[in-house]
Amino acid sequence: MDEFRDAILQRAPIESFALKTVQEFIQPQKQTKLAQDENQMLENMLRSLLQELVAAAAQSGDDQIMQYGQLIDDDQNIHGQIPHLLDVVLYLCEKEHVEGGMIFQLLEDLTEMSTMKNCKDVFGYIERKQDILGKQELFARGKLVMLRTCNQLLRRLSKANDVVFCGRILMFLAHFFPLSERSAVNIKGVFNTSNETKYEKDPPNGISVDFNFYKTFWSLQEYFCNPASLTSASTKWQKFSSSLAVVLNTFDAQPLSEEEGEANSLEEDAATFNIKYLTSSKLMGLELKDSSFRRHILLQCLILFDYLRAPGKNDKDLPSETMEELKSCEDRVKKLLEITPPKGKEFLRAVEHILEREKNWVWWKRDGCPPLEKQPIEKKSPNAGQKKRRQRWRMGNKELSQLWRWADQNPNALTDSQRVRTPAIADYWKPLAEDMDPSAGIEDEYHHKNNRVYCWKGLRFAARQDLEGFSRFTDFGIEGVVPVELLPPEVRSKYQAKPNEKAKRAKKEETKGGSQEAEGNQIGVSNSEAEAEAEGGRGEAEAMESDAIADTPTPEEQQRLGGSDTDNGQEAGQIEDAETEEAGLMDADLDHPPMPVS
């Protein structure tokens, strides 16, 4: 151990001996990176060495352990042995020669072995090395150890006497951890109810003070400590509002002048700042004359009002009367802040700006604290602007082509009993029929008739399955398409056909039938005239035949007549053939009806 300590605490530059020293004493399997068991061996050696150095510093009587055993390097810089040891380990962790969490473990051990005075020096070293400790390769390995170290320091510190040191630790954590770190955002919105403000319950002897006002004033801190309690019961809000009204009336009755505000303001004097209120009844009169004290109380009121109005996961809905009262109290508080010297208007403007920005954090936490880092924009290639050739699909688009392939691969899909089918017309219109029932009490804005897709599908179903209901759409709208048997009796009569309408329809049908009979009579008359003409023609033909028999032709005339008869026979045969072909075409047309024109 002594040889290792002498080797690792050399005055030469760290990069010239650190890795070489580790390789000599550990003898790792790899030349530049230690294995897990080798890392554990080196960590045990370093923790033992650190403990010896702290013990030696304590025995030497040196109050500042970070300056024990000062060394002067080649650049004439003075370093203590403990900071020098931490620098060596930090260098090895940064270069990934050893496990990255080793430096964080040594810092935790050092704070546990040090007094609070020395912890300030140790934390100063941490602040100086914050940029290196915050690198991703080290932060991922040691963030939990660093968080545990800072929390242990905060528990050891006094919130009243070590306010500045506590603030340094909180500021370091705010810079060291990202904004989206869930361990620091209080996702559930839990309040620190343990932060109680203690004040006197019984009036003191021999002091002239309005003790009722004193108790009323400090009782407001119970609600400021846990604002969620105001939403649990209306009686608590009434009690709070009445107590707040008493305090605000007192502030109104005792305004501060500019001279009093500048004389009693303690904002510039950091030495007199205290994290807790001084609640002694003897100081009540002096505190009311302090402008900073008034601003603290009024600012607490604005924070409380902002919480009650802000949206959140918890149910914070207050009655409308309470919200109106809250708004009036808020306006009154802002007016008091504006007239409180010094620079009341500027102070109020800054507070309003902060509360407005706070809403962004409220919404961010309500959404589950998504990461705030934006992903880098990908650079487009030079050919990104060129139009891509559209892919051609077998059935016209991707969905139909995919459906066609599924049908080829699974022929039973179309016959499956579980597949989606067109519903019956009665089942489809049943929701709208329930909406039309007055006893159901469904408001008109929630009726299915307001759904355009539902109505469009229903009209298509009615056009295929219920033509009678489809015809009522013209007279009664979409509600008239609903089958009458689905409607309650008091609504059914509204959508049934009226008697006078039936009579009008019957009269129209009779008128239409009479016109058709008249047309039939005209057709009958024309047919009888045609028959009479035909009979006259037959009589003339018989007379001509008797004349022909009486006039017997000669043989030459018979021969001429025979030739003409032959020609007439050929012509008659041609006419019969033509008629046969026409009859065949008509039969073919009847067997194959014409295709409809789309």
Side-chain angles (χ1 to χ4, degrees), residues 481-502:
V481 187
V482 179
V484 180
E485 58 270 13
L486 297 178
L487 301 176
E490 59 272 15
V491 182
R492 189 179 304 172
S493 59
K494 177 181 177 181
Y495 298 99
Q496 288 179 339
K498 298 180 181 179
N500 56 353
E501 293 181 356
K502 289 184 177 180

Side-chain angles (χ1 to χ4, degrees), residues 488-590:
E490 59 272 15
V491 182
R492 189 179 304 172
S493 59
K494 177 181 177 181
Y495 298 99
Q496 288 179 339
K498 298 180 181 179
N500 56 353
E501 293 181 356
K502 289 184 177 180
K504 292 179 180 178
R505 291 180 182 176
K507 182 178 289 186
K508 289 181 180 179
E509 291 177 357
E510 291 178 359
T511 306
K512 187 176 182 182
S515 61
Q516 290 178 353
E517 290 179 0
E519 292 177 358
N521 295 333
Q522 293 177 0
I523 294 173
V525 171
S526 60
N527 289 337
S528 61
E529 292 176 355
E531 290 177 357
E533 291 177 357
E535 290 178 356
R538 284 197 297 270
E540 294 176 358
E542 291 176 355
M544 291 173 65
E545 185 179 358
S546 59
D547 293 339
I549 293 173
D551 299 333
T552 303
T554 61
E556 296 176 357
E557 293 176 354
Q558 289 180 357
Q559 188 175 1
R560 287 196 302 271
L561 292 172
S564 62
D565 292 339
T566 304
D567 297 337
N568 294 335
Q570 292 178 354
E571 293 175 1
Q574 293 175 357
I575 292 172
E576 291 176 358
D577 294 340
E579 292 177 354
T580 305
E581 291 177 359
E582 291 177 0
L585 291 174
M586 292 175 65
D587 295 339
D589 292 339
L590 293 175

